[in-house]
Amino acid sequence: MTRRPLLHEYWPVLAESLPYLPLGDGPTPVRLLDGLGLRSPVWLKDESGYGRGGWGGNKVRKLEWLLPQAGRRGARTILSVGGLGTNWGLAAALYAREQGLDVALALVDHPVDAHVRAQLRRLRASGAVLYFPRTKGRLVLSLPWLVARHTHGLRLPYVLPAGGSSPLGTLGYVECALELADQVAGGLLPEPGWIVTPVGSGGTAAGLALGLRLAGLRTRVRGIVVNDTLRLDSAKLVGLAGRSRQLICARGADLPRTVLGPADVVSEYGWLGAGYAHPTEAGARALHRAATEAGLELESTYTAKALAALVDLDAAGSLGREPVVFLNTFGPR
């Protein structure tokens, strides 16, 4: 039986106007992270197992809304961008291929480690057409040529931003927040004061913030910024959440009134280090602690930095004494 998304259950009109393609099995599990010795009770919502294909994690939830739209547009190719070790690009390539769509990716340089080298091998094996403009400036200049190169007749490519963080892709984490609210209502975890997540392109944090309010939770989002190539401050994330809300309303849903402000999705920059994909000592310590003390596999670009921030914020008392949820977005296969 095909799983129906909560957005369709709560607002049935969206079943026709916002098509959905199930690519994973939810709800993703929650468990207490009691091995880290923190002051705040910390719960894990583990997205790593989400996705039935060759990659998992948070990008798959975005593709559940984006791939049907590509089909509606009649596109033959998805064109997107990312870094050399892009999780988003790999997920897009693997899941789009299953739907008969081609993927072209323009990748910019960043530090290369063992994970990135392995990811590049996966990308080359995925069937995606890869371009290497090297810098963000060259990527921007090359986009018109890339669009023309992947236009077939009158069929333009479906162009998506880094991370799939468009207003439509952001619905993946509106859905996740509704799922978390159901888990709270079911007694699987207490209502958290904060949910901590890495912020690489903004869609996950923005979708969570909107979904939490639609679900009636008071939980706020602490977004740990790990990317210095995009604007990802609180105002930007609130704006993206607002555009997703407008999209849902434009497709016919009568939503409860929600007012999001910078206090609802707080961007934290103190754990970025030298830049996107540059490892940090704090991240390395968090990665090791997660593996040895909590049985949790992280990586250095996103999730280790986010956990390092959670540990430091907890030590500083910035999270209060309320329960906190750490969202693990990494989905290796």
Side-chain angles (χ1 to χ4, degrees):
M1 183 177 180
T2 300
R3 184 171 67 88
R4 190 182 189 198
L6 293 171
L7 275 165
H8 288 176
E9 288 189 12
Y10 294 171
W11 297 282
V13 67
L14 298 178
E16 292 297 326
S17 60
L18 273 175
Y20 171 84
L21 176 67
L23 299 173
D25 298 307
T28 54
V30 293
R31 64 177 172 94
L32 188 63
L33 279 181
D34 55 3
L36 297 176
L38 303 181
R39 302 195 313 175
S40 302
V42 177
W43 292 76
L44 171 72
K45 183 160 176 64
D46 195 354
E47 296 282 275
S48 65
Y50 196 84
R52 305 188 198 111
W55 195 252
N58 66 325
K59 311 307 184 188
V60 182
R61 286 195 188 262
K62 298 177 182 181
L63 289 165
E64 291 182 317
W65 301 93
L66 293 168
L67 290 180
Q69 182 66 14
R72 277 193 166 192
R73 292 188 176 192
R76 288 177 51 184
T77 302
I78 290 174
L79 173 62
S80 194
V81 300
L84 291 176
T86 173
N87 296 320
W88 154 248
L90 181 60
L94 294 172
Y95 288 93
R97 183 175 62 189
E98 294 176 357
Q99 304 305 314
L101 293 165
D102 296 326
V103 171
L105 300 170
L107 307 178
V108 297
D109 287 355
H110 59 65
V112 175
D113 59 11
H115 168 70
V116 173
R117 284 190 288 272
Q119 198 75 331
L120 278 168
R121 290 193 293 271
R122 296 184 190 105
L123 283 164
R124 290 190 171 101
S126 73
V129 179
L130 305 181
Y131 299 93
F132 298 92
R134 300 187 65 83
T135 68
K136 183 178 178 181
R138 289 181 180 179
L139 184 152
V140 171
L141 291 174
S142 70
L143 280 176
W145 179 84
L146 289 170
V147 170
R149 176 71 180 80
H150 290 281
T151 297
H152 301 276
L154 298 177
R155 296 183 179 184
L156 293 169
Y158 186 26
V159 181
L160 291 172
S165 291
S166 67
L168 181 60
T170 294
L171 297 187
Y173 273 82
V174 175
E175 179 72 17
C176 182
L178 297 177
E179 182 180 292
L180 179 66
D182 271 8
Q183 291 173 311
V184 169
L188 297 179
L189 75 162
E191 181 177 353
W194 293 99
I195 182 166
V196 176
T197 182
V199 178
S201 58
T204 296
L208 287 171
L210 176 58
L212 291 166
R213 290 299 167 271
L214 293 178
L217 295 185
R218 58 182 177 78
T219 309
R220 293 181 289 167
V221 178
R222 209 72 170 245
I224 312 305
V225 177
V226 299
N227 189 351
D228 59 341
T229 69
L230 299 172
R231 181 187 163 197
L232 295 168
D233 57 80
S234 297
K236 186 72 172 181
L237 299 180
V238 168
L240 178 55
R243 291 193 298 277
S244 291
R245 188 185 192 282
Q246 291 170 1
L247 172 63
I248 298 171
C249 291
R251 299 297 175 91
D254 184 15
L255 297 183
R257 188 171 183 268
T258 55
V259 179
L260 286 174
D264 295 299
V265 52
V266 178
S267 294
E268 298 278 5
Y269 287 85
W271 291 267
L272 173 64
Y276 178 70
H278 287 259
T280 64
E281 290 185 9
R285 289 194 299 270
L287 191 152
H288 178 73
R289 284 188 69 181
T292 58
E293 299 174 24
L296 182 61
E297 181 181 1
L298 305 180
E299 43 65 52
S300 62
T301 299
Y302 295 91
T303 48
K305 290 182 179 181
L307 185 61
L310 191 159
V311 169
D312 290 347
L313 290 167
D314 175 82
S318 297
L319 300 175
R321 294 286 186 171
E322 296 180 281
V324 176
V325 167
F326 176 69
L327 188 76
N328 179 26
T329 58
F330 182 44
R333 294 286 187 268

